[in-house]
Amino acid sequence: MATQTVERTADTQTPEAVVVRFAGDSGDGMQLTGGQFTLSTALAGNDLATFPDFPAEIRAPQGTLFGVSAFQINFGSRQINTAGDAPDVLVAMNPAALKVNLAALKPGGLIIADTGEFSKRNLEKAKYQTNPIEDGSLAKWDVLAFDISALTLEAVKPFGLGNKEALRSKNMWTLGLALWMFDRDRQPLIDWLNAKFKNKPEIAQANIAALNAGHAYGETAEISGPLKKTHIPAAEQEPGTYRTITGAESVSLGLVAGAQLAELPMFFGGYPITPASAILHHLARLKEFGVTTFQAEDEIAAICAAIGASYAGQLGVTSSSGPGIALKGEAMGLAIMVELPLVIVNSQRGGPSTGLPTKTEQSDLYQAVYGRNGDAPMPVIAARSPGDAFEVAIEACRIAVQYMTPVMLLTDGYIANAAEPWKVPDPSAFAPFPAKFLQEKNAKDAKGGDTLLPYKRDDKGARPWIKPGTPGLMHRVGGIEKHVETGNIDYSPDNHQVMTDARKAKIDEIMVPDQEVSLGDETGELAVVGWGSTYGPIRQAVRRWREKGKKVSHIHVRHIWPLPKNLGELLSGFDRVLVPEMNTGQFKTVLRDQLFIDVESLTKTSGQPFQIAELEAAIGKYFDDVAGNEGGEVAANLAQLPVAESGHDDGSLKNKRSPQSGEDQ
Amino acid sequence: MNDMTPIQTTLKDWETDQEVRWCPGCGDYAILKAVQRTLPQLGANPAKTVFVSGIGCSSRFPYYVESYGFHTIHGRAPAFATGIKLANPELDVWMVTGDGDGLSIGGNHLMHVLRRNVNLQILLFNNEIYGLTKGQYSPTSRIGTRTPSTPLGSVDRPTNPCAFALGAGARFVARGFDVSKNLPDVLKAAHAHQGAAFIEIFQNCIVYNKDVFNDFAAPKGAEDQQLWLADGEPMLFAKGTKGISLDRDALELKVVDVVDGDWQAAGVLVHNVKNRSIAHMLIELPFGPFPMALGVLYDDPRPTFESAVIEERTKASAGKEANLAKLLAKGQTWTVPGTAQDPIGTRVPGQGGNPETQGRA
C-alpha cells in the first residue's frame, strides 16, 4: 500500500452530503457499480442524485483517455437536487480515469486508485510521463493507492476462474470498499448478485467474495490510512414508499399511466438512438398493459406508424433524440394537419448533427417550438427531473387526447440516465381523461338530414376522433389543406386563413396550470427562470442566496408552449430575470417574444449539467453588496469546461505528431 | 384480407362526392373503376375498409373511394398502414402508391412492409414518371428518358418493381395494367392472400409519358404480347400459339412455338405460384424477346406480422396482471415512516413529494 502522507485537518463533523465519483475503463463496469451503490444509498434512506457520464463508444480501446466511463453520485441527509459539483471521493480504476477526473476533485478529497493498473503501458496510454502516485503531483489530495487487481484475484481464487474473468469482479471489490466507507448493508447487493447470476452460481459467489473482501479491507485500512468510515444519516423525507427511478423509466411509466387515464391502448413506434432507446426497451416489456412497441426501419417510419395507430384509435407515441426528431418533422406536420393525438418524446443530447450522443444539452427547444414547415403550432412541455418526467408524460397524454394534437415532451440525456429517489405515486390520484370517439354523424345538412363534419370543433377547438371501422362515418383525411368543416380538399384563400387561425387558436388556448414559484417569493430583485433538467442546480443556488437574505426566487417552467397565462405578470414582479439554460439562449428568445420582457441569459454548452457553484456565482453578480463582485460576465468554471482529456479528442489534435493520432480516430 | 361478413354493395356505394382531379384520359380512372367494381365482389364493408396513400397522382386515390381514407406524406404510406394494422388488424387496408412515392422516396418503407408481411394490399401504379411535379424521370424510367430534369435523357438504370418486391421478401407479387379487363381478378387474388400483397399496375400517364406501355398494354391489339399467368395452367400467349419453356442447360426461360395446342409436346411450363425461382425469372423476362408476364406471378403465404405481434403479446401477457400501482412500485423499495419532524415536503410535484398537486393532471 503506497499511501502518500498528507497533512489533513481532521473533519470531526459528519458531512450533510458527500459526492463520490467512480471512474474506470468503459469495460470496468463503472455504471453498474454506480447503479448498485445508488440502490444501497437509497435503501439507507439518503436523498440522492446521480450523473452517469460515459463515452459514445461501446468498448473504446482499453486504458485510453476517451474510453473513461464515470458515475457520480451525490447523497446526503438533506435534500439533494444535483449530482454535486466537485467529488469528495474519486475512485480511479486506471491512470486514464485518474487523469480525466482529477481536475474535478475537491482539494483535500480522497483518491482511491488501483495500482495494479498503473503499469508503464497504461501510464503511457493516459499520457503520463511519470507515475502520478509516486511523483508527488497528487499532494493536494489524500491518496489511497493499492493493488485492487491483485486483492481481487486473491479473493476470488477459490472459484477457479480464469484471470480475465476473475478481474471482472474488481468493480465488486471496489463497491465493497465503498459500502464499508459509508456504513452500508451488503445484503441487498448479495441478493442482487445471486439473482443476477442465478444460472452461474460460481460467478455470483466470486463476486460476493470480492465484495466481502473489499469491505473487509476497509476495516484494516482504517487503522493507518486516510480512509474513514462515514455515516450519513437518513434524510428526512415525506412518509411513503420510495424507489429509485431514472428519467427513461419514469417517462415510460408515465406514458403507460397516461394511456390508462385516457382508456386507450398505447402504440409506441421507436428507432434505436442514444439516449432515447431506453424508453423503447422499458415499454417493450409492458405488453400486458396494452402496449404495442414497434421498432421501425427508421425514425420517420416510427412516427408515421404511431400516427397510423392514432388514426386507428390508439394512443400513438414516438420517441427519439435531436437528429431523429429532425427526421420526424414532416410527419409532425401531418399530425398537426389531420389533428390526431400523438406524444413525441425528445431526450435531448448535444448537437447539431450527431453532436454529443451521450452528453446532455437543451438545444432542441427551437426545434420543438418552431421547427416545422408552415404555421405548425404544437404544445411543448418539459420534465425537470427523472421523477417529474412521470407526471409530465401524463400531462402530455392528456393534452394530446383532449386537444387532438401532437405534443412534444422534452427531457434530456441527463434526465434519461440519472436516477433519484421517487415516492411511488398512487395512480388513482390522477384525474382520468377518457378519450371519446365519435359514434354517429354530428351535424345536419341543408335538408335536415344527418351528416358528418370531421372538422367540426368542440369547445376546446378539437375535432372529433373518428375510428375507422365505425359504421356510417367514412371520411377522408390528409395533409392537404382541408375545408373548415367537411375536411374535403380546399385550397381557397379564405379557408386556409380560417384553418390556420383555428389550428393556432386551439394550441394557444390549451388549459395550462398557472405558473408557481418553485422557491422564494412572488416578487423580488431577481427571478431565476429555468426549464428542464437545470431544475436541481438552480434550486440549490437560489436556496443558498436566499439563506444569505437575497431576494431571489426560482421559477421553473414546465409548459414551454403555450406558456402559463400568468407568467408575464409573475415575472413583472421582479427587477431582473435570469434564464440559465444548456444552449445558447433558446428559452430566452421564447420568453422575450411571447412576454415582451427583458430577460438575461446564462448559457452553457459543454455537454455537462450546470454546477451549483456556477449558478451561485452568476446570481451573485446581480447583488451589489457581494464581496468580489464587479459585475459583468460570469467567469467560466475551468473544471467544467471541456478539456482534451474529457472527450474524444485525446489531445492528439493539438499535437499532430503524437503517435496516437492515427489509432484513436 | 380478413374474414368478415360479406356486405352487399354496388359500385355506386364506393364512389365519393369528390370531384376527381386526375387529367382526362389518365390511367388512374380505369384503375379506380376496377377497384370500385372489385370491392362489391369481395363483399367488402366500406366502414372497415381503409385506403392509405402517400403523395403523387396515384395517392389522390383515397379521396375517391367511399371508405375510410388517409392521404399521408410522401413515401411513408407503408409505415402508416403498418401502424393502422397493428392497432386494428380487423381493418381491410389497401395501400396506393406510385413509382416515385413507393420506390424512390419511400423505397425503404416499401421494403420493410413487404419483409414484415403486414396483411394489406399494395397497389403500385407504375407510369415511369413523376406526374404531379410535372414530368421528371422516375426510378422506373427507362434509360434515355428525356424530361425537364434530364433534357439529354436519363442515364441511370431503372429498377424493376416486382423484382424489388420479391427481393424484399414479398410473399405475393402480381402485375396488371390500368385498362386490363383482368385487373379485378388480380385484385381479388391479392385480397385473398393473407399478408402483404404487392401489385404493380402499369398506368398510362397521358400527359408526361404517354403510351410507353402500348407494346403490351394498349387497350386493343397488344394481346399477343401479354403472358397471363394462372396457377396450374400452362404459360401460353399469342392465342396459345406460343409458350414459355425452360432451357434446362442454360437455366433460363425461352419462348417456344406451340403447334396444334399441344403445349406439353412443346415443353411449356405449368405455372406454380409457389415457385419462387420461376417467379424471379418471369419478373426479369426482357420485354421484346419475351412477352410481359402478367397476373399472379408469386403467391405463397406466410404468417402475417400483426398476427405474430398479437400472439407474442398474448403469450407475454398470459397470467400477468396489468396493475399500474404494482408496476410503479416494482423493484427494490423502501418505506419512510411518518415520524420525520421536518420532511422534505418542499419537494415540488414530480419530485415525488407533494400529493396536493399530483391530481392536477
Side-chain angles (χ1 to χ4, degrees):
Chain A
M1 186 167 131
T3 308
Q4 282 174 305
T5 39
V6 175
E7 231 172 295
R8 191 167 183 271
T9 22
D11 191 358
T12 47
Q13 281 186 325
T14 303
E16 264 197 325
V18 174
V19 180
V20 180
R21 187 183 291 192
F22 297 94
D25 215 49
S26 55
D28 278 344
M30 288 298 101
Q31 301 304 322
L32 190 125
T33 308
Q36 289 307 311
F37 188 74
T38 301
L39 187 61
S40 88
T41 302
L43 293 175
N46 294 144
D47 200 13
L48 66 93
T50 70
F51 179 49
D53 187 15
F54 43 84
E57 291 76 14
I58 300 299
R59 287 280 181 274
Q62 232 179 350
T64 55
L65 293 169
F66 61 89
V68 172
S69 170
F71 186 101
Q72 183 163 315
I73 174 168
N74 182 9
F75 56 98
S77 54
R78 58 162 171 79
Q79 187 178 3
I80 303 289
N81 292 111
T82 79
D85 288 0
D88 300 287
V89 180
L90 169 66
V91 180
M93 301 302 282
N94 68 9
L98 179 67
K99 187 158 201 180
V100 170
N101 292 288
L102 191 60
L105 188 63
K106 255 183 212 165
L110 174 65
I111 298 166
I112 298 175
D114 177 9
T115 55
E117 289 290 328
F118 278 65
S119 63
K120 189 162 175 289
R121 189 169 149 67
N122 278 348
L123 287 166
E124 274 170 14
K125 280 193 203 166
K127 308 209 181 329
Y128 273 121
Q129 309 295 329
T130 55
N131 188 343
I133 295 176
E134 291 157 2
D135 66 9
S137 63
L138 305 180
K140 270 205 285 182
W141 298 281
D142 278 351
V143 179
L144 187 61
F146 50 95
D147 195 340
I148 295 177
S149 302
L151 289 164
T152 304
L153 287 178
E154 183 65 29
V156 306
K157 210 182 211 169
F159 305 97
L161 304 174
N163 203 50
K164 204 175 158 192
E165 193 86 342
L167 280 175
R168 289 224 178 104
S169 304
K170 255 191 331 189
N171 61 340
M172 284 301 129
W173 196 99
T174 315
L175 185 57
L177 181 64
L179 293 183
W180 176 84
M181 282 174 71
F182 298 102
D183 197 17
R184 296 283 166 67
D185 185 9
R186 271 165 292 161
Q187 197 54 45
L189 267 300
I190 293 169
D191 295 346
W192 177 79
L193 283 165
N194 278 325
K196 183 174 167 71
F197 297 108
K198 200 166 53 187
N199 301 321
K200 293 179 185 164
E202 72 286 356
I203 302 281
Q205 288 311 311
N207 275 302
I208 291 165
L211 184 81
N212 289 335
H215 194 267
Y217 188 87
E219 302 274 2
T220 339
E222 190 188 19
I223 301 161
S224 55
L227 199 58
K228 286 195 172 42
K229 194 172 196 166
T230 310
H231 180 83
I232 308 283
E236 290 190 336
Q237 284 171 319
E238 201 178 303
T241 303
Y242 286 77
R243 60 175 284 192
T244 61
I245 197 157
T246 66
E249 284 174 302
S250 174
V251 166
S252 309
L253 295 175
L255 290 169
V256 171
Q260 283 207 348
L261 293 166
E263 296 173 12
L264 292 171
M266 190 213 305
F267 179 95
F268 183 93
Y271 182 79
I273 184 169
T274 303
S277 303
I279 298 173
L280 171 61
H281 304 167
H282 285 299
L283 290 172
R285 295 175 172 279
L286 298 178
K287 294 191 165 47
E288 68 270 26
F289 286 88
V291 178
T292 301
T293 53
F294 173 58
Q295 183 182 319
E297 58 269 27
D298 61 23
E299 296 283 3
I300 299 170
I303 184 171
C304 292
I307 296 171
S310 282
Y311 172 73
Q314 297 200 346
L315 179 59
V317 181
T318 190
S319 146
S320 189
S321 189
I325 297 293
L327 286 166
K328 295 178 195 290
E330 187 194 9
M332 287 178 212
L334 180 70
I336 289 166
M337 201 67 166
V338 296
E339 304 189 37
L340 284 169
L342 179 74
V343 177
I344 305 142
V345 184
N346 181 358
S347 305
Q348 301 168 92
R349 65 191 213 186
S353 186
T354 306
L356 309 169
T358 59
K359 311 293 176 193
T360 196
E361 209 163 272
Q362 299 180 300
S363 48
D364 295 346
L365 187 79
Y366 286 161
Q367 184 192 38
V369 173
Y370 305 117
R372 287 164 297 280
N373 65 304
D375 280 301
M378 188 167 82
V380 179
I381 62 175
R384 63 173 150 227
S385 71
D388 185 52
F390 177 76
E391 262 187 42
V392 172
I394 292 175
E395 178 74 344
C397 297
R398 177 188 73 84
I399 295 172
V401 169
Q402 291 187 335
Y403 292 87
M404 294 291 283
T405 178
V407 178
M408 174 83 76
L409 192 173
L410 295 175
T411 74
D412 59 32
Y414 175 73
I415 291 178
N417 291 317
E420 68 177 8
W422 185 53
K423 189 177 166 197
V424 177
D426 174 7
S428 66
F430 292 87
F433 41 89
K436 291 186 208 86
F437 293 98
L438 194 67
Q439 298 299 334
E440 50 199 25
K441 291 177 178 167
N442 57 353
K444 298 284 179 196
D445 61 18
K447 294 173 197 156
D450 292 335
T451 191
L452 172 68
L453 295 177
Y455 276 77
K456 189 180 165 191
R457 295 176 190 278
D458 66 11
D459 55 353
K460 288 188 166 69
R463 79 175 188 96
W465 196 353
I466 311 166
K467 244 197 273 198
T470 313
L473 300 187
M474 288 81 72
H475 68 287
R476 275 64 52 193
V477 294
I480 299 186
E481 186 59 283
K482 45 192 57 27
H483 183 265
V484 61
E485 285 188 324
T486 63
N488 293 330
I489 295 177
D490 191 336
Y491 300 134
S492 66
D494 289 350
N495 184 69
H496 182 53
Q497 180 75 54
V498 169
M499 285 299 270
T500 302
D501 293 347
R503 285 187 288 264
K504 181 175 186 299
K506 178 174 86 169
I507 303 306
D508 285 349
E509 296 308 317
I510 287 173
M511 289 282 290
V512 166
D514 270 353
Q515 182 64 48
E516 291 167 9
V517 176
S518 301
L519 185 66
D521 303 321
E522 299 210 338
T523 56
E525 289 177 47
L526 178 69
V528 185
V529 179
W531 68 279
S533 74
T534 53
Y535 174 78
I538 295 177
R539 185 178 177 85
Q540 290 297 347
V542 168
R543 185 181 64 90
R544 289 181 191 177
W545 279 116
R546 289 189 60 79
E547 282 170 2
K548 291 177 210 156
K550 299 296 173 210
K551 289 181 175 154
V552 52
S553 296
H554 175 200
I555 292 169
H556 214 77
V557 181
R558 173 186 281 182
H559 289 269
I560 306 290
W561 195 276
L563 289 168
K565 295 270 184 291
N566 69 330
L567 185 60
E569 201 194 321
L570 180 62
L571 294 183
S572 69
F574 294 87
D575 301 340
R576 314 273 291 270
V577 177
L578 175 68
V579 180
E581 50 189 331
M582 297 185 288
N583 57 44
T584 55
Q586 300 188 7
F587 192 47
K588 167 214 72 183
T589 306
V590 172
L591 290 176
R592 283 183 180 171
D593 167 45
Q594 293 295 300
L595 305 179
F596 206 64
I597 57 167
D598 190 22
V599 165
E600 289 158 75
S601 202
L602 179 72
T603 70
K604 175 170 182 173
T605 55
S606 65
Q608 303 290 322
F610 273 107
Q611 290 195 323
I612 300 167
E614 288 174 309
L615 292 170
E616 223 179 332
I619 293 168
K621 301 288 176 195
Y622 287 82
F623 297 99
D624 291 338
D625 54 344
V626 174
N629 184 1
E630 290 82 40
E633 291 296 304
V634 178
N637 178 346
L638 293 175
Q640 277 273 302
L641 283 178
V643 290
E645 286 79 9
S646 68
H648 292 218
D649 172 16
D650 60 350
S652 58
L653 293 179
K654 280 188 189 151
N655 179 10
K656 291 254 163 70
R657 282 169 300 175
S658 158
Q660 295 277 314
S661 60
E663 333 173 343
D664 289 335
Q665 296 309 305
Chain B
M1 72 133 239
N2 297 285
D3 300 321
M4 286 185 277
T5 320
I7 296 276
Q8 286 282 337
T9 58
T10 65
L11 188 150
K12 283 272 166 219
D13 293 324
W14 294 91
E15 289 176 349
T16 63
D17 58 357
Q18 297 298 291
E19 186 191 340
V20 183
R21 299 189 184 203
W22 290 314
C23 308
C26 176
D28 288 352
Y29 284 96
I31 304 173
L32 176 62
K33 272 281 175 285
V35 170
Q36 287 168 332
R37 195 173 296 133
T38 306
L39 289 165
Q41 296 176 33
L42 296 170
N45 179 352
K48 292 197 167 186
T49 303
V50 184
F51 277 81
V52 184
S53 65
I55 293 291
C57 292
S58 59
S59 292
R60 292 295 181 93
F61 203 92
Y63 289 110
Y64 311 134
V65 184
E66 184 56 39
S67 68
Y68 284 90
F70 197 176
H71 179 213
T72 70
I73 50 176
H74 205 10
R76 322 299 174 199
F80 289 95
T82 302
I84 292 169
K85 282 298 279 189
L86 284 174
N88 185 357
E90 292 304 310
L91 296 172
D92 189 12
V93 177
W94 298 74
M95 196 195 109
V96 182
T97 183
D99 42 312
D101 187 62
L103 290 168
S104 201
I105 192 168
N108 188 32
H109 308 300
L110 187 59
M111 171 171 107
H112 290 281
V113 79
L114 292 168
R115 168 183 75 78
R116 291 193 181 105
N117 200 27
V118 181
N119 189 13
L120 44 83
Q121 295 74 244
I122 299 167
L123 316 186
L124 186 144
F125 299 4
N126 182 10
N127 57 12
E128 299 186 359
I129 206 80
Y130 280 86
L132 204 58
T133 51
K134 300 198 192 308
Q136 300 82 0
Y137 83 119
S138 90
T140 54
S141 297
R142 295 161 213 184
I143 291 178
T145 302
R146 287 175 188 271
T147 73
S149 60
T150 52
L152 306 179
S154 59
V155 295
D156 40 339
R157 294 175 51 74
T159 188
N160 177 334
C162 286
F164 173 89
L166 207 56
R171 309 303 304 187
F172 180 99
V173 178
R175 267 194 196 134
F177 60 92
D178 44 15
V179 295
S180 166
K181 63 176 180 7
N182 294 340
L183 187 55
D185 290 335
V186 178
L187 296 172
K188 275 185 252 177
H191 193 259
H193 174 88
Q194 295 284 326
F198 179 85
I199 314 170
E200 176 187 16
I201 303 174
F202 298 105
Q203 173 249 325
N204 189 19
C205 174
I206 196 102
V207 174
Y208 295 109
N209 216 13
K210 193 168 186 260
D211 299 341
V212 281
F213 306 117
N214 259 11
D215 289 345
F216 64 90
K220 280 199 177 68
E223 291 81 0
D224 286 359
Q225 294 303 318
Q226 300 166 6
L227 171 66
W228 283 100
L229 296 155
D231 192 30
E233 297 292 326
M235 298 181 186
L236 295 169
F237 65 103
K239 303 175 193 73
T241 62
K242 289 177 192 290
I244 300 293
S245 179
L246 180 68
D247 179 334
R248 285 166 205 274
D249 295 325
L251 282 181
E252 52 186 34
L253 299 180
K254 60 181 180 182
V255 174
V256 292
D257 290 322
V258 177
V259 183
D260 297 333
D262 191 353
W263 56 268
Q264 277 143 322
V268 172
L269 294 173
V270 171
H271 187 46
N272 171 6
V273 287
K274 293 193 190 313
N275 189 327
R276 199 171 177 86
S277 304
I278 295 293
H280 266 294
M281 289 179 171
L282 289 166
I283 284 166
E284 297 280 6
L285 287 180
F287 183 75
F290 289 90
M292 181 57 71
L294 297 162
V296 179
L297 304 163
Y298 180 67
D299 181 1
D300 189 10
R302 288 287 182 278
T304 67
F305 180 53
E306 59 272 31
S307 63
V309 169
I310 290 166
E311 192 185 326
E312 189 188 58
R313 182 170 49 224
T314 310
K315 273 189 192 161
S317 311
K320 284 192 197 164
E321 189 193 359
N323 184 327
L324 185 60
K326 277 189 188 164
L327 175 69
L328 298 183
K330 216 175 155 186
Q332 273 177 295
T333 58
W334 66 98
T335 304
V336 174
T339 53
Q341 289 297 305
D342 180 23
I344 300 175
T346 50
R347 222 178 239 289
V348 287
Q351 294 272 311
N354 195 339
E356 285 165 16
T357 45
Q358 280 184 357
R360 81 168 167 206

